[in-house]
Amino acid sequence: GKTWKRTNSENKLRQRAWYYTHVRADPQDPNTVYGLNTGLYRSIDGGQTFESIDVPHGDIHDLWINPDEPDRMVVGNDGGAQVTVNGGRTWTQYQNQPTAELYDVIVDNGFPYRLYAGQQDNTTISIPAWTHSNTLHPKEHWYSVGGCETGPVALHPDHPEVSFAGCYGGVIDRFERDKGQIRNVVVYPQMQLGEAGKNLRYRFQWVSPMAVSPHDPNVVFHGSQHVHRSTDRGMTWETISPDLTTNTPAHQDFSGGPINHDITGVEIFNTVFSIAPSPHSPDVIWAGSDDGRMHITRDNGATWDDITPGAMPQFATVDEIDVSPHQAGRALVAAQRYRLNDFAPYIFRTNNYGRSWDLLNNGRNGIPADSPVRTVREDPERPGLLYAGTEWGVYVSFDDGRNWQSLQLNLPVTPVTGMRVAHDDVIISTQGRSFWILDDITPLRQITSALAEEPAHLYRPRNGYRVNSGGSGDGIGGQFAPEPLPGNVLINFYLADAPTAEIVLRIEDSAGGVVRQFSSDSARADTMPGVSHMKPTA
């Protein structure tokens, strides 16, 4: 490295320098080198000239080259991973992997309920939690709800026919599905791309928050450095808060440089990052910023109080505020600071509108110390039953956050970006592994410390619905379908010890007659789909 020679200065190799630019050397040929950027490029003359290699998806973040057979490579991009065995002439597809990068998830109250999110390097998307067996092609149930890859998506769960979706620079689309219409209802028209935050009237983040009032589906909130509100579904807007950030000039200059100014919205700082209208009162709105500030209004935006927790680290991102469904002044907050090389988990709780806060996790009570938390939710049925989504998976607390334990089960190790607890399910979005649903959490709601002392316990089942559900493998292109609903009625039970004799489960009618009977003896009957550990005898 004592001397260097510049071999190439093409912009295609160095655009978005902080984000993409990587160089990979061929492990055998010293003159072959690969450049990674928005595309994939190869040089065979020591870096003097580069040719483009066609890949199935753009935005190239990683490349693995087999050290013994360099024609075998794996490319990682915003579509997932693809493999070549012939030096990039052909690649495997990315449609065989559920690798969507999703920024958040919201759900509606339909049947089946639907999931909504923004997809990195794609569109917003809405899909059903399950499909029926008459589905010809599962993707017929997919649709975009406006906006673009960033999202987010906002709607009233009882009125999903009208939704709002975001895009760069604070763009908002109102999508009316029954009419097939999309209309831009942006707060203020401005070109944010490439511009410093200090020169913008409103600083909208890449994933600038949106929320629809739980009390009125016509009321929509949007966050820049202010909280904005519309009472007519986005046709007109008013600013109802002062600047709720630190408003630090040094944090609002051009990003990037000296190579290029790379500003798409991700780099805009000093912004409101989360907005949570209270389900208990239309006058109460909570807001958190990406520079460690929290505020609340209890008079519909007329005045705002700073309620930042004393233990909130400097310049932390208030990723999510979850207002308790059980108590008006209670809220949970997930904050993260990994972009500043702080990977500690931060979960805060207040029971008095933010006058005081408790830090629920310190890296020593269940959630590892290097697991940033992005989302936290309280169960809507059982107070004090909490769920947290971290950089590495999902955790649950049965004692209001004093202790946590893994709820990973079969979930891949993946960043959990959003979470909803609804319809007796836990629904999550992930950054790279798409949507996941933990079906039927009614046993979690019924677990007590006394249950561990019982030899056996039958959990009270949730309501069952007779449905004709489809799933993976059903119809043409079944790989695009969600997994089927796990049985019409789920019966869960707990045994302290492995059984040494046959166990029989009887379902009786009100007169005591046996409607259905299941046995643990495999010789008694065939396996019944959806029944774990038990087989039917009648």
Side-chain angles (χ1 to χ4, degrees), residues 165-377:
C167 194
Y168 322 117
V171 166
I172 305 181
D173 287 341
R174 185 182 69 214
F175 174 55
E176 299 179 60
R177 188 187 177 204
D178 54 342
K179 299 177 181 177
Q181 289 189 346
I182 295 179
R183 177 165 185 161
N184 189 318
V185 290
V186 64
V187 172
Y188 180 77
Q190 61 184 11
M191 175 54 74
Q192 179 174 286
L193 299 179
E195 190 57 81
K198 64 183 180 182
N199 297 328
L200 298 172
R201 178 170 180 173
Y202 296 124
R203 299 188 296 272
F204 286 104
Q205 231 282 334
W206 174 268
V207 286
S208 53
M210 301 179 192
V212 174
S213 169
H215 308 280
D216 185 347
N218 295 310
V219 176
V220 187
F221 300 95
H222 197 199
S224 57
Q225 70 269 39
H226 308 281
V227 174
H228 308 274
R229 179 178 60 200
S230 172
T231 59
D232 52 12
R233 294 185 172 181
M235 298 305 295
T236 59
W237 292 89
E238 58 181 332
T239 300
I240 63 170
S241 82
D243 190 325
L244 300 181
T245 75
T246 62
N247 193 22
T248 306
H251 298 161
Q252 298 172 24
D253 212 335
F254 285 100
S255 175
I259 297 175
N260 61 351
H261 289 161
D262 195 334
I263 304 175
T264 60
V266 179
E267 308 80 8
I268 298 297
F269 202 55
N270 299 151
T271 71
V272 173
F273 203 83
S274 53
I275 300 173
S278 171
H280 306 283
S281 168
D283 292 333
V284 179
I285 307 161
W286 306 65
S289 74
D290 64 358
D291 54 7
R293 301 286 296 278
M294 286 198 62
H295 290 81
I296 191 172
T297 177
R298 299 177 65 181
D299 53 14
N300 207 18
T303 59
W304 292 79
D305 297 319
D306 189 331
I307 56 168
T308 304
M312 179 74 73
Q314 187 180 34
F315 304 134
T317 295
V318 180
D319 210 316
E320 186 171 80
I321 305 170
D322 182 50
V323 182
S324 170
H326 307 288
Q327 180 180 332
R330 175 179 166 89
L332 297 162
V333 170
Q336 44 84 357
R337 201 168 172 266
Y338 65 88
R339 290 181 294 178
L340 296 175
N341 207 34
D342 178 359
F343 293 87
Y346 296 103
I347 302 175
F348 297 93
R349 180 193 61 209
T350 181
N351 291 310
N352 54 18
Y353 293 99
R355 289 193 296 273
S356 63
W357 293 88
D358 296 310
L359 179 61
L360 297 188
N361 191 270
N362 53 18
R364 297 187 297 273
N365 59 350
I367 299 179
D370 60 350
S371 296
V373 178
R374 298 194 185 189
T375 175
V376 62
R377 296 290 178 187

Side-chain angles (χ1 to χ4, degrees), residues 448-455 494 496:
T448 64
S449 56
L451 187 148
E453 305 301 322
E454 299 181 21
Y494 161 78

Side-chain angles (χ1 to χ4, degrees), residues 432-449:
R433 293 305 298 269
S434 304
F435 290 123
W436 287 75
I437 297 175
L438 176 59
D439 295 287
D440 190 11
I441 57 173
T442 51
L444 298 181
R445 293 169 172 169
Q446 299 171 39
I447 287 176
T448 64
S449 56

